[in-house]
Amino acid sequence: MTNIDYKVIVGLEIHVQLATRTKMFCGCELIFAAEPNSRVCPVCLGLPGALPVMNKQAVEFAILTALSLNCKVAEFTKWDRKSYYYPDLPKNYQISQYDLPIGSTGFIEIPLPDGKVKKIRIRRVHLEEDAGKNIHSEGNFSQVDLNRAGTPLLEIVTEPDINSAEEVRLLAIELQRIVRFLGVSEADMQKGHMRFEPNVNLHIKKDNNEYKTPITEIKNLNSFKALEKSVAFEAQRQLAEFLDSGKVMQSGNKKTLGWDDIREVTVLQREKEEAHDYRYFPDPDLVPVVVNKKWLVEIKTKLCELPLTMQNRFVSEYGLSDYDAGVLTADKAAAEFFDNTVKAGGDAKRICNLVTQTGLKIANEKNCKVSQLGISPQKLAELAKMVEAGQISATASVTIFEKMTQSESAPQQIAESLNLLQKSDEGELEKIVDEVIAANPQAVEDAKSGDKKSKKANGFLMGQVMQKTKGTANPQVVAKILSSKLNKGI
Ligand code: ZN
Ligand code: MN
């Protein structure tokens, strides 16, 4: 029997659409789903004589991202023309960055399910412009919409340090979180703001020999699901192909594949072009970019705490579970709102529950951020403290939270007006417990019996007290009184 072992090797190229107001080299506004060809001008239409002008905001966003990915930022960079012919590219070249990317040799850290963190090296980060869109939805002809032409894209290329389909997905999610925290991209998958191109092959050990399967590149994946599934499929397909044909990597045989979302298979598109096919050369219409110290320092002031750092801080400083910390830091507004509320005084775990279980739900219904519900961190901290002190039940805190989104009132006021304050007065509650005990001799006997019936009887007696107090009794206090009475053997 042959002895076979293999490792999946993946490098990822990601295109991220930057959230600038206007395009990369002209003043056309970026508006999603605008009427076709309504956001175009001589520059992005590629008309003769029209001159491009660099969008400074896009360059700053690119540098900010490069810094957060631990990259070296180029002090000098330039623009290059990448020539190819396609109907959605009216200039017949794309303005990109070839040999001097704005960022290089960095890394990204991704949290793995086992709690470990994996470092994936970043080869380069560069800026370029997007092409338009070909539309094939009508008749036996195609249409071209150039609204997207000239949209600023950040291309991020990793080293082949990724070793499973799951790691590819985790990296993509982490990158989405980072660019959203930085505010450089909305990173909305539905709008195609992030597009992925994994390069996949296998390193196979068979009978003490090592083989490398031919690398394939899967083009244009725009969902996490398609990304993960296509890499998993491609790894299995390559393994089967190797076992069947023994085919190994040779130079110049990199294939480009597409992903068929319906059949869930990769399909061959074309043999990959080499860099020289693109005839890269410096764009004579654009001046090089010099990133001086002063500008770089200015951009660095816009760096924020990154999501993974924040997630780890919530665990170490506030004692949250990694899961809860992950839920909160999936959204910067929620994470900051939580953080500010804890800083306003209040138990972190309690606040986390209020934010994740109630706040995010209401925010989702209202289609806004949890920080935009009209509740200040101070007021939410007050609410958390009331639960902590036993003044209100956890259930009541949800009702009060909802009310707080509709009124300016303090949680204490709302609790009073809705009669949600719990009775914790032991003397008062003791009287009610006595009444319940006197009225239910059978249940009392069952509760004291210590056998199977006792738990149910105990619950019944608790329920009677809660009913008499219309649910306002503090259950911990009632339970304490009840158990001491039953144990005394009344
Ligand atoms: Zn334009
Ligand atoms: Mn590109």
Side-chain angles (χ1 to χ4, degrees):
M1 208 187 131
T2 52
N3 183 3
I4 190 159
D5 191 18
Y6 70 95
K7 196 171 183 185
V8 181
I9 309 288
V10 186
L12 194 57
E13 284 178 36
I14 309 119
H15 285 92
V16 178
Q17 178 175 328
L18 296 177
T20 51
R21 193 178 59 80
T22 55
K23 292 186 181 180
M24 188 66 231
F25 298 107
C26 65
C28 291
E29 268 187 273
L30 290 167
I31 292 173
F32 184 72
E35 192 194 329
N37 298 310
S38 65
R39 306 286 154 180
V40 291
C41 72
V43 174
C44 53
L45 285 174
L47 299 186
L51 286 174
V53 177
M54 177 192 95
N55 182 335
K56 194 178 169 197
Q57 176 77 86
V59 178
E60 291 188 352
F61 280 173
I63 293 174
L64 206 53
T65 312
L67 287 169
S68 73
L69 295 176
N70 309 288
C71 288
K72 266 202 280 239
V73 175
E75 288 167 31
F76 177 89
T77 180
K78 62 179 171 69
W79 305 101
D80 299 289
R81 292 184 176 183
K82 179 181 181 180
S83 309
Y84 65 95
Y85 175 84
Y86 209 60
D88 62 10
L89 190 71
K91 296 198 297 287
N92 291 339
Y93 61 84
Q94 175 193 31
I95 305 175
S96 181
Q97 299 190 295
Y98 181 48
D99 52 341
L100 296 174
I102 200 130
S104 56
T105 57
F107 63 88
I108 180 172
E109 289 182 312
I110 58 169
L112 300 178
D114 64 3
K116 293 203 185 90
V117 163
K118 180 166 179 176
K119 220 180 234 192
I120 309 285
R121 288 171 300 154
I122 302 287
R123 182 179 297 172
R124 57 183 285 153
V125 173
H126 75 251
L127 257 174
E128 58 187 32
E129 56 174 349
D130 206 350
K133 247 185 220 169
N134 291 333
I135 302 167
H136 314 284
S137 57
E138 274 178 65
N140 57 356
F141 57 92
S142 291
Q143 294 165 298
V144 183
D145 174 11
L146 293 171
N147 282 350
R148 201 180 67 180
T151 299
L153 290 182
L154 200 59
E155 181 173 325
I156 300 163
V157 185
T158 80
E159 295 291 347
D161 293 346
I162 310 163
N163 298 116
S164 71
E166 187 187 32
E167 281 181 16
V168 181
R169 176 176 52 83
L170 293 171
L171 185 144
I173 291 173
E174 191 57 28
L175 186 66
Q176 183 189 46
R177 211 160 60 138
I178 291 173
V179 295
R180 283 181 171 171
F181 263 58
L182 295 172
V184 301
S185 175
E186 288 171 44
D188 186 334
M189 310 296 291
Q190 255 99 49
K191 293 181 183 168
H193 290 169
M194 282 181 97
R195 282 143 25 206
F196 306 99
E197 288 167 356
N199 280 256
V200 185
N201 83 331
L202 304 178
H203 289 185
I204 300 174
K205 277 205 184 98
K206 191 184 163 201
D207 302 331
N208 294 323
N209 289 316
E210 194 168 299
Y211 304 91
K212 293 176 181 176
T213 56
I215 298 174
T216 54
E217 177 172 341
I218 313 167
K219 297 302 278 185
N220 235 336
L221 301 162
N222 49 21
S223 77
F224 295 136
K225 198 175 126 215
L227 176 61
E228 184 173 24
K229 281 196 167 180
S230 65
V231 170
F233 175 88
E234 190 52 21
Q236 286 312 303
R237 189 199 65 75
Q238 290 189 13
L239 182 64
E241 184 182 71
F242 173 79
L243 293 174
D244 187 47
S245 68
K247 220 163 140 195
V248 292
M249 182 157 50
Q250 294 158 355
S251 65
N253 67 351
K254 185 161 144 185
K255 285 192 173 83
T256 301
L257 310 174
W259 175 244
D260 184 326
D261 237 337
I262 299 178
R263 293 189 298 139
E264 299 194 332
V265 294
T266 52
V267 284
L268 181 66
Q269 284 184 339
R270 60 191 151 96
E271 304 280 328
K272 176 85 179 173
E273 295 87 353
E274 294 293 323
H276 60 252
D277 295 329
Y278 290 122
R279 296 182 294 120
Y280 279 103
F281 68 93
D283 193 312
D285 289 342
L286 284 155
V287 289
V289 184
V290 176
V291 184
N292 61 30
K293 279 244 159 61
K294 187 170 162 272
W295 193 21
L296 194 58
V297 167
E298 202 183 297
I299 295 168
K300 275 185 183 164
T301 63
K302 290 169 191 156
L303 274 174
C304 61
E305 185 178 25
L306 292 177
L308 187 57
T309 314
M310 206 178 207
Q311 180 176 340
N312 291 337
R313 180 166 64 82
F314 287 177
V315 173
S316 63
E317 220 173 274
Y318 298 150
L320 295 191
S321 69
D322 194 50
Y323 175 81
D324 281 342
V327 172
L328 286 168
T329 51
D331 176 48
K332 192 188 188 187
E336 287 182 339
F337 182 62
F338 162 80
D339 201 16
N340 292 333
T341 307
V342 178
K343 283 174 181 155
D347 176 64
K349 179 70 194 158
R350 185 76 60 191
I351 294 164
C352 169
N353 285 346
L354 284 167
V355 171
T356 57
Q357 287 163 25
T358 310
L360 289 178
K361 194 172 136 257
I362 302 174
N364 194 28
E365 282 162 13
K366 296 194 172 184
N367 200 14
C368 70
K369 297 278 182 194
V370 71
S371 52
Q372 295 168 329
L373 289 172
I375 301 180
S376 68
Q378 287 71 23
K379 275 190 186 160
L380 189 62
E382 274 174 47
L383 181 65
K385 278 188 251 177
M386 287 170 70
V387 187
E388 208 52 32
Q391 286 178 276
I392 52 168
S393 67
T395 319
S397 73
V398 175
T399 312
I400 298 170
F401 196 124
E402 282 164 1
K403 280 278 173 233
M404 284 165 78
T405 65
Q406 301 152 13
S407 99
E408 294 282 297
S409 306
Q412 182 78 33
Q413 276 175 289
I414 297 173
E416 278 166 27
S417 70
L418 295 177
N419 205 13
L420 289 171
L421 286 176
Q422 286 185 343
K423 288 194 177 68
S424 298
D425 180 331
E426 296 208 16
E428 195 184 334
L429 289 175
E430 195 178 344
K431 254 189 264 165
I432 299 168
V433 172
D434 285 339
E435 282 169 33
V436 168
I437 285 177
N440 299 283
Q442 183 61 51
V444 171
E445 196 179 306
D446 289 349
K448 286 198 286 194
S449 68
D451 60 26
K452 267 195 286 178
K453 285 181 284 185
S454 88
K455 205 176 161 201
K456 199 177 158 202
N458 227 314
F460 171 78
L461 293 169
M462 273 290 290
Q464 290 297 304
V465 177
M466 295 312 280
Q467 215 174 59
K468 270 187 175 291
T469 60
K470 299 199 173 66
T472 63
N474 181 332
Q476 274 101 21
V477 178
V478 176
K480 204 179 91 194
I481 297 171
L482 196 58
S483 98
S484 86
K485 299 237 169 214
L486 293 174
N487 286 336
K488 263 186 228 151
I490 297 162

